[in-house]
Amino acid sequence: AQTVTQSQPEMSVQEAETVTLSCTYDTSESDYYLFWYKQPPSRQMILVIRQEAYKQQNATENRFSVNFQKAAKSFSLKISDSQLGDAAMYFCAYRSAVDKIIFGKGTRLHILP
Amino acid sequence: KAGVTQTPRYLIKTRGQQVTLSCSPISGHRSVSWYQQTPGQGLQFLFEYFSETQRNKGNFPGRFSGRQFSNSRSEMNVSTLELGDSALYLCASSWGLAMETQYFGPGTRLLVL
C-alpha cells in the first residue's frame, strides 16, 4: 500500500531564512503526482506546489521549490526567504491514476521574527 | 470564480444523532472528495465522487455515507454519531479524477458531545 511519511512534526525557521520540509513516500506505481498543501491556522488548505512523477525537472513556484528524487522516493519542499505568512501546517500528498490521494501527517512550520 | 463552500461551518451534536454536511464545488468541477481531519489521525480520506458515482472509498465504517447530485454538489452523512467522530470535515473539488489538483473548502467542524 502507498504511504506518505513526513518525519518532522514541527519545525522553526527565522524570518528571511530558508527551510526544507521532508517527505518520503512508498509506491510501486510509475505514474503519479506529488503535492504540497499548506493549511494556515484556522484557514483553508491551499495547494503550494505539485510535481508530475514523469517530469525530471523540479517544480518551482516563486519562493517554493521541490527536490524530487524519484529513485529515493523523496519529495522535499524548500521555502526560501521565509515570511511570517508561511507559518502553517504543511502536508505532503501522493496520488496515482488508480488510487485515492494519500496525505502525510503534516509538518507544523513556525516562522520566528 | 467562487471557491468550494461547505455548510454548516460549525455543528454540535450528541452521541447517537445523525448529521448531514454539504459541499458545493467550484463551478465546473465534477469531482468531490471528503476528508476527516483530527489532531491524532491527521487527514484521512473518506470518499470521492465523480458524476454522481462513488469512485473511491476510505476505510471508514458504514455509518459514513455520501452522495453527489447532478449539479455536482455533494453531501455526506454520519449516522449514530460517536465521540470519536468529532473532527474537521473537509471537502475538496477538482475538475476531473486521477491526478487533478484538489481545491479545498473551509471545512465543517463537528463536535460530538
Side-chain angles (χ1 to χ4, degrees), chain A residues 28-85:
Chain A
S28 56
E29 302 285 339
S30 58
D31 188 19
Y32 53 88
Y33 276 41
L34 296 162
F35 306 86
W36 278 100
Y37 281 91
K38 167 186 176 182
Q39 188 178 37
S42 303
R43 293 178 61 187
Q44 62 197 79
M45 188 118 64
I46 57 172
L47 177 72
V48 175
I49 200 165
R50 72 182 220 165
Q51 173 81 42
E52 295 89 333
Y54 65 85
K55 288 187 177 178
Q56 290 188 325
Q57 188 171 6
N58 289 326
T60 300
E61 286 289 342
N62 301 314
R63 298 182 296 106
F64 298 87
S65 61
V66 298
N67 183 4
F68 174 47
Q69 303 287 329
K70 191 171 184 179
K73 295 179 182 172
S74 170
F75 182 61
S76 59
L77 174 69
K78 186 171 86 170
I79 306 173
S80 303
D81 185 27
S82 297
Q83 300 174 1
L84 294 178

Side-chain angles (χ1 to χ4, degrees), chain B residues 15-28:
Chain B
R15 277 182 301 173
Q17 286 187 309
Q18 77 163 16
V19 66
T20 299
L21 311 182
S22 180
C23 172
S24 293
I26 291 172
S27 178

Side-chain angles (χ1 to χ4, degrees), chain B residues 69-83:
Chain B
F69 302 96
S70 58
N71 62 358
S72 295
R73 190 178 70 84
S74 177
E75 288 182 349
M76 67 162 279
N77 184 276
V78 188
S79 61
T80 320
L81 283 165
E82 300 177 359
L83 295 179

Side-chain angles (χ1 to χ4, degrees), chain B residues 23-93:
Chain B
C23 172
S24 293
I26 291 172
S27 178
H29 284 192
R30 297 162 66 191
S31 176
V32 172
S33 297
W34 288 90
Y35 301 88
Q36 183 194 66
Q37 186 176 22
T38 59
Q41 298 298 318
L43 268 166
Q44 291 188 286
F45 171 78
L46 280 156
F47 21 66
E48 176 178 45
Y49 289 88
F50 181 80
S51 293
E52 302 178 67
T53 301
Q54 188 178 90
R55 297 292 179 147
N56 271 305
K57 191 176 189 305
N59 298 323
F60 278 82
R63 301 184 296 107
F64 291 82
S65 63
R67 60 178 174 167
Q68 186 180 34
F69 302 96
S70 58
N71 62 358
S72 295
R73 190 178 70 84
S74 177
E75 288 182 349
M76 67 162 279
N77 184 276
V78 188
S79 61
T80 320
L81 283 165
E82 300 177 359
L83 295 179
D85 297 333
S86 294
L88 181 66
Y89 289 87
L90 294 171
C91 165
S93 77

